[in-house]
Amino acid sequence: MTAYNWLLFFHLVGAFCFVAGAAVAGTLQIGAMRRERPSEILTLLRLTRVGVLLVVTGAVLTLAFGMALASQLGYGMTPAWIRAALALWLASVVLGAIGGRTARHARYRAEELAAAGDEPDEELRALVAHRPSLILSYVSGGLLLVILVLMVWKPA
C-alpha cells in the first residue's frame, strides 16, 4: 500500500468515528430525554461518553490525516474547499463541546438523584432537555454532513 492509501484510510476511519460518535451521543441524549428515573437517565448519559470518545478520536484523525493527505496530494491549504472544511471542522468541534456541557451537568445531577432515592426531578429534566444545548449539538452534527459533502464534491 502506498502512503496515499494509508493516509486516506486513516482519514476515512476518523471521519467514520467522528460521525458515528456524534450519532451515538445524540441518540443517547434523545433516549435520556424520554426517561423519568434519574438512574435510567444516568445510564444513558454515562454511555454518551463512548460517543464523545469516538468524536474526539475522529476529530483528531480527520484533522491530522486530512492535512497530511492534502499535503501528499500537493493541495496544501490553498483550495477554498479545504479551508472551508477546516473552518467547519473547528465550528463543529466547538459547538459540540459547548452543547455537551449541559449534558455533563445533567449526568452529575442524575448521579446525585440516583443516590438519593431515584425520584424524578424537574431540574434534571430541564438539563436533559435544554433546548439551546440541543440546538448547538444538532448544528454541530449538521456541520459534519456539510464537511462530508465538501470532501466528496471538492468544489473549485
Side-chain angles (χ1 to χ4, degrees), residues 110-132:
E111 286 173 352
E112 294 170 5
L113 293 169
D118 202 27
E119 292 299 320
D121 178 64
E122 283 306 312
E123 179 187 354
L124 176 59
R125 301 243 355 112
L127 284 170
V128 171
H130 186 248
R131 210 146 184 67

Side-chain angles (χ1 to χ4, degrees), residues 29 32-33 38-39 41-43 45-46 99-114 121 123-130:
Q29 176 76 26
M33 290 170 51
S39 59
I41 293 170
L42 177 60
T43 299
L45 293 180
R46 279 183 177 162
R101 289 174 54 201
T102 304
R104 187 176 65 241
H105 295 301
R107 189 178 78 238
Y108 297 151
R109 180 70 180 146
E111 286 173 352
E112 294 170 5
L113 293 169
D121 178 64
E123 179 187 354
L124 176 59
R125 301 243 355 112
L127 284 170
V128 171
H130 186 248

Side-chain angles (χ1 to χ4, degrees), residues 127-141:
L127 284 170
V128 171
H130 186 248
R131 210 146 184 67
S133 297
L134 293 173
I135 290 170
L136 288 174
S137 295
Y138 292 143
V139 170
S140 174

Side-chain angles (χ1 to χ4, degrees), residues 25 40 43 47 52 77 89 101 104 106 108 114 116 129:
E40 294 172 342
T43 299
L47 287 172
V52 171
M77 297 298 129
W89 178 94
R101 289 174 54 201
R104 187 176 65 241
Y108 297 151

